[in-house]
Structure formats: structure tokens, C-alpha cells
């Protein structure tokens, strides 16, 4: 089997005005879709966060990929590294999301190759990663402070005809009552049994109040997580951690960097610290082990460099006594299914995974949006990722990309449209 072509398509999907430490989500989230085609007319799909730089690098990678056997991932990876080099850990940047380029390029290509390998052998991707240890992958509710608005063409406006979660998703959530209402609507619609609150958007004590209000509303049986995306000072993180002792399942990136995370962890003792910001590459593992900067690593095949790398990460976590959860960004169903297959094949991934999927309304798969059953994605038995591309939907989302005028995620600029002069601060409170 030989790869004959690789199509790279940037898309834009409607995204509501969600707040985070870096500012505000734009009305559209960007993704780049990769479709790799073979000489026996199979196609494999990959999806990564969109940015003009990643899309350009993927375009440039086409000449490396075409002609290769999709089973020969080592050779493809070695040639990509020889052509483009590797990102250093420092290229991640200070934003809540990862700005590295080549990890995303390789991940998109690798996932598409796994989809192809599955289709060629008639096996689901999880079977190629060691086999499923679970048939259902549990996801967590992911709450955001937000302004009123549906995002997309509606921006800060709302659709008066929306019902159910589509109506709730439009509402503002700027205080503990709003956050609890959002949690109830999301959990009712998707059946989630764990809840994460994106913090770093409001003063820390208000975010702690929201967590305590969630505890009051949902009771001790619902695990709660808080993620300020590293913008708190060590003293603040310790003080807020003390307020939330016994309430948090884990405390995600309260502070920036492995040293600061280790200080907070030492001070708070029995509150597990988690990260998708201070330990995000194999280069970071020695520091993580030396300092014990976290208890739980949030894997993410998009920035850990693919599915095989994520399996390696899981082994490292087992060796060094780290728990394993999973991180997410705004995404559509290709990423969701890749995450689900990986989680299904990772025995020590024992926490409900993050997903932004409820915040998205658009999809590019035949059959439309992927359903959640009691908070879980059911792993299909079909070959590959178990999904098919709706080409009309892809073309429409690509047109939306061209029309929206965005080429990079920049939450600071979006926030400045609402609060002129607003500046991202790497450490704020
Ligand atoms: O979508 O605003 C967001 C999140 O803040 C996202 O960019 C983060 O990468 O979900 C993420 C996280 O857990 O840090
Ligand atoms: Mg996080």
C-alpha cells in the first residue's frame, strides 16, 4: 500500500465566547484536517488545532508523505524530522494551548495513517494500539465562564429558537450560579459524571466559590477539577487549594512551571496536581521526575506527537507513579474518535477525559455529531477510527474558514474587542 496524496484543509467551526486565562475565544475555532489517500483507494483522517503555520508545514510535508507505506511510521517520522527538525519544549509558549508546530504535523499524519492501517486490516484503531481495555470511554463536563452568545455567525447574539443544551450553551456564565446552571444543563444533555471548571478568568476566590457551589449542587460523588492555566502566584494557588481541600479530584496547572508546581504540591500534600502545561513533552520528563511537579499528566496525542507517543507516555506515567488523564481543545469528531480509541487502549488512563465537544455544534462526519451515552463515547467495531468524512460539510467548513478571516488563535485580541487594552499576563493573581 502506498500513499498517493495528502489533502490539507483548514476549517473554522462556530465557537461561543468562552473565557480563559489568555482572554476570550473567537467566534470560530480553527482546525486543520488531513486526509491521506492510498493507491488502493482508502483514505485516512487526522485533525489538529488550526494555525496558518501548522497548515503550511503540513502542505510542505506532503512531498515526504506521498509514496510512503502508511505502516512505516518510523520511516515517515524520521524523514519529517530530517526535513523540518523538531520543536524544542520552549516553543510551547505561555498560552493555555500548545503552540508547537511539528508535534501537530506529525500527529495529524500519524492519526491518518492509523485510520488507514485500520481500514486496510479491518481492525479498529484501538486494536492497533494494543487492544481495547474498555468499550466505553468516559469524558468529563468542561465548564467555562462565558459571555452571552452562540458564537459563529451569531457572535454575542443568541438564537431565540434554540432549545435544550443548544439554548443553555448560549447563556452567560459569570458567577457561581451561572456555572452551576451550565453544569446542570451540560450534564443533563451528555450524562457526564465528572466536572472540570476552566479557571484563570475570574478572581481566584470567585472561582473557588464556583467550585464550592458545584460541590453543593452535585454532592461529593461528582469529581471536580479546577484549571487556572498557570496564571496564579504560588501563594494564591496554595491559599485557594486550602479552601478546596477535600473537594478537588485534581488541581490542574494552578501555577506556571515545574518548580512552582512542585512548591504548590509540597505545600498542599494530599491534593493531586495535574498538568497539560508544565510537563508536555518527553524533554520535560526528567524535570518532572526530579522535582515531582505533578501527580497526573494530561496526555494529548495532538501535542505529545501522536498515538504511539501517547502510549509511550502512558508507560512512563506507570513507571514513575503518575496518574494519566486527557486534555482537549475545541475540536470536531476526528479528534474525538482518535482520543477515544487511544483512551480505550490505555489501561492506566483512569480519569474521565476532557472534551470541548459540547461547545461545538458543527461536524464534518457522515451521520453528524458523535453521540455521548451517559458521558461516554462508545468505541466502534468498524475499521480505523470508525468514521467517514462528509465532504460537503468539510467544504462548507473550509469556506467558513476563508470567510471568517482568522488564521491563528489569539484570545487576547478577542478579549480586547470587549475590554479595550486588556493584556494577557503570564502570572496574574
Ligand atoms: O479552550 O480556552 C480553552 C482552554 O483553555 C484550552 O485552550 C486549554 O488548552 O483546555 C485546555 C487546558 O486544559 O488547559
Ligand atoms: Mg489544562
Amino acid at each position: 500500500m502506498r500513499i498517493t496524496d495528502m489533502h490539507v484543509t483548514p476549517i473554522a467551526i462556530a465557537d461561543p465566547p468562552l473565557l480563559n486565562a489568555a482572554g476570550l475565544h473567537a467566534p470560530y475555532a480553527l482546525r486543520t484536517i488531513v486526509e491521506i489517500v492510498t493507491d488502493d483507494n482508502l483514505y485516512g483522517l487526522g485533525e489538529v488545532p488550526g494555525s496558518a503555520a501548522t497548515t503550511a508545514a503540513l502542505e510542505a510535508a506532503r512531498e515526504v508523505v506521498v509514496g510512503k507505506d502508511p505502516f512505516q511510521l518510523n520511516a515517515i517520522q524520521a524523514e519529517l524530522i530530517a526535513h523540518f527538525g523538531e520543536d524544542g519544549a520552549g516553543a510551547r509558549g505561555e498560552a493555555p494551548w500548545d503552540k508547537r508546530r511539528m508535534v501537530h504535523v506529525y500527529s495529524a499524519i500519524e492519526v491518518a495513517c492509523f485510520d488507514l492501517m485500520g481500514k486496510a486490516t479491518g481492525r479498529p484503531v484501538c486494536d492497533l494500539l494494543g487492544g481495547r481495555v474498555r468499550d466505553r470511554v468516559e469524558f468529563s463536563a468542561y465548564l467555562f465562564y462565558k459571555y452571552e452568545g452562540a458564537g459563529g455567525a451569531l457572535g454575542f447574539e443568541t438564537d431565540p429558537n434554540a432549545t435544550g443544551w443548544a439554548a443553555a450553551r448560549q447563556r452567560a456564565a459569570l458567577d457561581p450560579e451561572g456555572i452551576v446552571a451550565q453544569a446542570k444543563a451540560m450534564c443533563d444533555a451528555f450524562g457526564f459524571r465528572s466536572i472540570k471548571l476552566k479557571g484563570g478568568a475570574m478572581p481566584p476566590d470567585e472561582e473557588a466559590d464556583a467550585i464550592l457551589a458545584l460541590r453543593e449542587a452535585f454532592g461529593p460523588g461528582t469529581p471536580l477539577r479546577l484549571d487556572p492555566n498557570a496564571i496564579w502566584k504560588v501563594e494564591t494557588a496554595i491559599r485557594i487549594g486550602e479552601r478546596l481541600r477535600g473537594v478537588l479530584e485534581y488541581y490542574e496547572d494552578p501555577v506556571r512551571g515545574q518548580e512552582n508546581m512542585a512548591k504548590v504540591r509540597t505545600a498542599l500534600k494530599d491534593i493531586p496536581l495535574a498538568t497539560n502545561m508544565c510537563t508536555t513533552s518527553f524533554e520535560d520528563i526528567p524535570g518532572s521526575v526530579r522535582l515531582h511537579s505533578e501527580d497526573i499528566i494530561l496526555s494529548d496525542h495532538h501535542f505529545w506527537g501522536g498515538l504511539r507517543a501517547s502510549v509511550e507516555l502512558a508507560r512512563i506515567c506507570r513507571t514513575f507513579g503518575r496518574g494519566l488523564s486527557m486534555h482537549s481543545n475545541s475540536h470536531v469528531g476526528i479528534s474525538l474518535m482518535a482520543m477515544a480509541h487511544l483512551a480505550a487502549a490505555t489501561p492506566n488512563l483512569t480519569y474521565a477525559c476532557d472534551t470541548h465537544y459540547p461547545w461545538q455544534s458543527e461536524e464534518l462526519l457522515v451521520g453528524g455529531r458523535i453521540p455521548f451515552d451517559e458521558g461516554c463515547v462508545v468505541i466502534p467495531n468498524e475499521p480505523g477510527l470508525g468514521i467517514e468524512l462528509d465532504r460537503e460539510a468539510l467544504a462548507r467548513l473550509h469556506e467558513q474558514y476563508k470567510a471568517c478571516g482568522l488564521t491563528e488563535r489569539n484570545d487576547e485580541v478577542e478579549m480586547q474587542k470587549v475590554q479595550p487594552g486588556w493584556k494577557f499576563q503570564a502570572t496574574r493573581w
Side-chain angles (χ1 to χ4, degrees), residues 96 142 196 198 227 229 252-253 275-277 298 327 354:
Y142 196 161
K196 163 168 169 170
K198 171 58 48 178
D227 176 12
N229 276 126
E252 186 175 321
D253 290 309
T275 190
N276 63 274
M277 294 186 74
L298 272 66
H327 164 265
D354 287 359

Side-chain angles (χ1 to χ4, degrees), residues 360-394:
Q360 270 74 68
S361 45
E362 296 172 301
E363 191 44 277
L364 43 60
L365 301 179
V366 171
R369 308 236 338 131
I370 292 166
F372 282 77
D373 179 31
E374 294 181 350
C376 297
V377 168
V378 178
I379 302 300
N381 291 315
E382 282 76 35
L385 293 171
I387 50 178
E388 294 298 338
L389 185 60
D390 176 339
R391 290 172 195 285
E392 273 177 30
L394 177 69

Side-chain angles (χ1 to χ4, degrees), residues 76-225:
I76 293 174
Q77 186 167 33
E79 210 172 307
L80 285 170
I81 292 171
H83 261 70
F84 302 104
E86 289 182 273
D87 320 274
R92 185 203 175 279
E94 289 183 324
W97 61 96
D98 196 306
K99 294 194 174 167
R100 285 173 294 165
R101 197 172 48 122
M102 292 317 296
V103 283
H104 289 108
V105 167
Y106 182 70
S107 170
I109 293 169
E110 197 228 42
V111 170
C113 287
F114 266 106
D115 192 21
L116 277 169
M117 289 189 264
K119 286 174 174 163
T121 55
R123 308 301 293 250
V125 166
C126 58
D127 279 10
L128 308 176
L129 297 173
R132 66 180 75 187
V133 292
R134 48 184 79 87
D135 289 320
R136 299 158 60 82
V137 170
E138 188 172 354
F139 286 83
S140 153
Y142 196 161
L143 312 181
F144 278 83
Y145 287 99
K146 76 178 287 284
Y147 294 129
E148 186 173 78
L154 284 169
F156 294 105
E157 304 293 312
T158 56
D159 172 1
N161 300 318
T163 55
W165 168 244
R169 180 171 51 201
Q170 307 181 124
R171 291 187 195 121
L174 296 165
D175 54 23
E177 294 70 42
I179 290 294
V180 169
Q182 186 186 94
K184 286 187 174 159
M186 193 187 276
C187 291
D188 280 353
F190 294 87
F192 297 128
R193 289 175 302 191
S194 301
I195 299 177
K196 163 168 169 170
L197 173 62
K198 171 58 48 178
M202 296 290 162
D205 279 289
E206 291 183 28
E207 297 187 350
D209 291 344
I211 290 286
L212 294 172
L214 287 167
R215 171 64 168 243
E216 181 74 23
F218 286 84
T222 301
L224 300 174
R225 311 157 182 180

